[in-house]
């Protein structure tokens, strides 16, 4: 699996167009069920809204889906989908809630409003790159703790909180393939101590 870009958590943004309110709600979703659950939660929050338009893009099966939710065809869901694709993110769902303001926007106005709202929501979201990573673990004497921690940091690892007992347990997360320089440095520091390297896994880094 290749590295990919997604959103972390949730975000929201709101714009107004001719007295209509457009509220974009954005969330990470790595399955269709997660996307639909988020849609259901937004609908529950905005029960009185005229429309809850949505779109999502999933890595799994390269799946995309959108709904105009009662707006004229291709004036709402498709612009939201295109905003997600333009942002270059996947495993992402965007729901745009519209509270009608009494003035018709026309097809062009709807497209512009839904595009702008989705883009604002995505701009408010934290964009992260999910990479193939490994964890590197080693237990060292207290006298070597600070120097070992420095080696992790110099290698670009994200060092977790150390565990202190009779010795110090260190665990760092780093992009897979970048641990080659850290391992011999730790071995030299500890005079033969063997660091444990995990199998690759994916997480935002």
């Amino acid at each position: 699996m290749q590295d990919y870009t997604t959103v972390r958590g949730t975000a929201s943004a709101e714009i107004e167009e001719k007295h209509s309110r457009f509220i974009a709600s954005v969330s990470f979703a790595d399955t269709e069920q997660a996307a639909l659950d988020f849609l259901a939660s937004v609908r529950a929050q905005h029960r009185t809204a005229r429309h809850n338009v949505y779109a999502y893009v999933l890595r799994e099966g390269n799946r995309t889906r959108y709904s105009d939710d009662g707006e004229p065809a291709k004036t709402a869901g498709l612009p939201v989908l295109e905003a997600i694709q333009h942002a270059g993110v996947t495993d992402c769902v965007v729901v745009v809630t519209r509270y009608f303001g009494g003035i018709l926007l026309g097809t062009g106005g709807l497209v512009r409003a839904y595009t702008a709202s989705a883009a604002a929501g995505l701009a408010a979201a934290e964009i992260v790159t999910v990479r193939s990573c490994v964890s590197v673990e080693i237990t060292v004497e207290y006298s070597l703790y600070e120097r070992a921690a420095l080696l992790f940091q110099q290698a670009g690892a994200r060092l977790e909180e150390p565990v202190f007992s009779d010795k110090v347990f260190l665990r760092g997360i780093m992009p897979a393939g970048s641990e080659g320089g850290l391992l011999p440095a730790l071995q030299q520091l500890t005079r033969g101590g063997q660091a444990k390297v995990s199998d690759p896994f994916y997480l935002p880094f």
Side-chain angles (χ1 to χ4, degrees), residues 1 10 18 25 31 42 48 63 67 77 83-84 88 101-102 104-105 135 141 146 153 163 170 174 179 187 204:
M1 189 171 70
T10 61
K18 294 183 179 178
S25 302
T31 65
V42 173
T48 61
R63 183 167 177 77
S67 168
I84 297 173
L104 297 175
L105 301 183
S135 68
E141 301 289 344
E146 290 186 357
Q153 293 165 0
V163 178
L170 296 173
M174 56 199 310
E179 70 275 12
Q187 188 174 31

Side-chain angles (χ1 to χ4, degrees), residues 19-152:
H19 304 298
S20 281
R21 294 171 61 207
F22 293 84
I23 305 167
S25 302
V26 181
S27 178
F28 171 78
D30 56 356
T31 65
E32 192 160 31
Q33 189 60 53
L36 295 176
D37 288 347
F38 181 72
L39 170 62
S41 70
V42 173
R43 281 178 171 160
Q45 184 181 354
H46 297 285
R47 287 188 180 90
T48 61
R50 177 75 66 93
H51 307 281
N52 283 289
V53 168
Y54 71 89
Y56 56 77
V57 177
L58 305 178
R59 281 185 311 112
E60 185 178 342
N62 196 28
R63 183 167 177 77
T64 62
R65 186 177 177 185
Y66 68 87
S67 168
D68 295 307
D69 194 32
E71 296 281 32
K74 297 185 179 179
T75 64
L78 185 58
V80 173
L81 175 62
E82 290 175 343
I84 297 173
Q85 293 171 330
H86 180 73
V89 295
T90 188
D91 282 354
C92 175
V93 57
V94 178
V95 184
V96 179
T97 302
R98 181 190 182 190
Y99 286 93
F100 184 55
I103 300 174
L104 297 175
L105 301 183
T107 56
L110 285 171
V111 169
R112 287 191 295 274
Y114 278 104
T115 299
S117 178
L122 288 160
E126 181 184 0
I127 307 297
V128 295
T129 299
V130 178
R131 295 193 170 104
S132 175
C133 294
V134 294
S135 68
V136 178
E137 302 175 352
I138 194 167
T139 300
V140 300
E141 301 289 344
Y142 275 77
S143 61
L144 301 178
Y145 160 54
E146 290 186 357
R147 281 181 286 170
L150 182 61
L151 290 177
F152 274 94

